[in-house]
């Protein structure tokens, strides 16, 4: 299939969206495009990646049948605020999934990946039961910041499992490559969540919907930052709404090192305005950056 171009119409999404059959990594393509002065909102979508990656350099299996999308972000705010972009973009992904009818079925796994539950919430379900049910990974999000001749920019890369795909007998997912740590969350696809007989959007339509939803969130956040809403910290304009999208908040978690080793346990009590997880451990409250730890529900 030849490369195609589709147009977005949502706020902040008037730049081109290019579609390619296969790339090494959509983030690599978008970073190069940004260095070549691609505008805010320019995006590239691919049907397959040959060298996809996740956070901390983890390998991301990227077979055909899923959606891989990267968007150039030039929010025109001081670069120190870019630390909030992972959370902002994940909220945009949630918005798009809600538009598809998955409200109550998807949530954010701090700091930015999207998790889902197999079954719809039951009437009278407790918060603890709800949190434990979000045990499948649907979307991976990776935001990378750079500086070019036009100033600082970021690229938001997102990979969505659209159809169930197996690689060497295992469903496609991010490989955490941690010998001693817990296994990564099992993946789930958009088709499985929507259910048998439901219409799954074409990849080009899904890419447009995702780009537009993310750009709407980024543009609104950037406007709030420029208006002084981030004086307390980059996440201040979105923090209360972000809380509502994180099922793990308020529950017992394991604190894991980048190599997957157990460092501590405690209650995931909240986030600060810099995006650090606040965990109440037996030795007191700790503010933990996403670069140093990950959290896993107990």
């Amino acid at each position: 299939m030849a490369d195609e171009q589709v147009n977005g119409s949502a706020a902040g999404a008037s730049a081109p969206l290019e579609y390619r059959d296969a790339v090494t990594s959509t983030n690599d393509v978008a970073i190069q495009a940004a260095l070549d002065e691609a505008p805010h909102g320019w995006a590239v979508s691919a049907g397959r990646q040959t060298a996809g990656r996740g956070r901390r350099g983890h390998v991301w299996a990227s077979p055909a049948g899923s959606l891989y999308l990267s968007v150039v972000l030039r929010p025109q705010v001081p670069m120190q605020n870019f630390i909030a972009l992972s959370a902002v973009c994940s909220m945009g992904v949630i918005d798009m999934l809600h538009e598809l009818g998955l409200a109550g079925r998807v949530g954010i796994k701090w700091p930015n990946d999207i998790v889902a539950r197999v079954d719809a919430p039951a009437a009278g379900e407790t918060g603890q039961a709800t949190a434990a049910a979000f045990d499948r990974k649907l979307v991976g999000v990776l935001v990378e910041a750079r500086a070019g001749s036009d100033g600082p920019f970021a690229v938001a890369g997102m990979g969505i499992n659209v159809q169930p795909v197996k690689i060497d007998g295992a469903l496609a997912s991010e490989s955490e490559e941690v010998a001693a740590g817990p296994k990564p969350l099992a993946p789930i696809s958009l088709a499985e969540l929507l259910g048998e007989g439901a219409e799954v959007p074409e990849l080009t339509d899904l890419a447009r919907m995702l780009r537009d939803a993310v750009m709407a969130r980024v543009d609104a956040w950037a406007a709030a930052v420029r208006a002084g809403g981030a004086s307390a910290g980059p996440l201040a304009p979105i923090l209360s709404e972000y809380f509502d999208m994180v099922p793990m908040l308020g529950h017992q978690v394991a604190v894991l090192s980048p190599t997957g080793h157990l460092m501590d346990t405690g209650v995931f009590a909240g986030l600060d305005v810099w995006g650090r997880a606040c965990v109440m451990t037996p030795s007191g409250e700790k503010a933990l950056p996403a670069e140093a730890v990950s959290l896993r529900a107990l």
Side-chain angles (χ1 to χ4, degrees):
M1 182 187 297
D3 293 354
E4 299 175 18
Q5 181 170 303
V6 291
N7 295 315
S9 58
S14 58
L17 193 166
E18 297 183 3
Y19 182 83
R20 302 182 184 182
D21 283 337
V23 297
T24 54
S25 162
T26 56
N27 263 25
D28 288 345
V29 173
I31 288 170
Q32 186 57 56
L35 291 172
D36 292 337
E37 303 183 353
H40 179 61
W42 184 95
V44 59
S45 172
R48 185 168 64 90
Q49 295 183 126
T50 59
R53 63 182 182 274
R55 293 176 60 233
R56 304 191 187 116
H58 296 162
V59 175
W60 184 276
S62 307
S66 293
L67 173 68
Y68 311 102
L69 175 76
S70 291
V71 185
V72 173
L73 306 175
R74 300 185 187 275
Q76 302 300 310
V77 300
M79 195 171 186
Q80 69 184 36
N81 293 291
F82 280 25
I83 195 171
L85 282 172
S86 288
V88 174
C89 292
S90 68
M91 294 170 74
V93 179
I94 291 289
D95 291 340
M96 186 273 290
L97 294 171
H98 284 183
E99 186 179 345
L100 292 177
L102 293 175
R105 303 281 304 280
V106 293
I108 298 171
K109 179 183 179 293
W110 177 82
N112 54 9
D113 286 341
I114 308 303
V115 290
R117 55 180 301 159
V118 175
D119 300 318
E125 188 174 65
T126 66
Q128 182 65 50
T130 301
F134 287 82
D135 60 354
R136 299 293 193 93
K137 186 168 180 176
L138 176 63
V139 185
V141 179
L142 175 65
V143 176
E144 298 180 282
R146 297 286 191 276
S149 58
D150 286 349
F153 66 88
V155 164
M158 293 151 282
I160 301 182
N161 301 321
V162 179
Q163 300 288 344
V165 178
K166 289 188 176 182
I167 302 175
D168 297 331
L171 283 168
S173 66
E174 185 177 17
S175 172
E176 296 190 7
E177 297 183 342
V178 177
K183 294 181 179 179
L185 294 178
I188 194 168
S189 70
L190 189 59
E192 291 169 295
L193 282 174
L194 291 175
E196 186 175 353
E199 183 177 352
V200 180
E202 296 290 333
L203 290 183
T204 51
D205 293 334
L206 195 62
R208 187 190 67 251
M209 292 173 64
L210 181 56
R211 192 275 301 269
D212 291 357
V214 167
M215 292 306 300
R217 278 287 181 181
V218 170
D219 289 345
W221 166 79
V225 172
R226 291 193 295 269
S231 58
L235 270 75
I238 62 166
L239 201 53
S240 61
E241 191 174 2
Y242 180 84
F243 283 163
D244 293 337
M245 298 182 180
V246 182
M248 201 183 298
L249 273 172
H251 302 295
Q252 286 282 339
V253 296
V255 180
L256 305 177
S257 73
T259 57
H261 290 86
L262 179 66
M263 298 171 62
D264 216 332
T265 61
V267 175
F268 187 11
L271 298 170
D272 66 17
V273 291
W274 291 92
R276 295 174 295 192
C278 300
V279 180
M280 295 298 300
T281 73
S283 59
E285 183 174 359
K286 297 181 179 180
L288 305 170
E291 295 78 13
V293 302
S294 60
L295 303 182
R296 185 63 59 85
L298 291 176

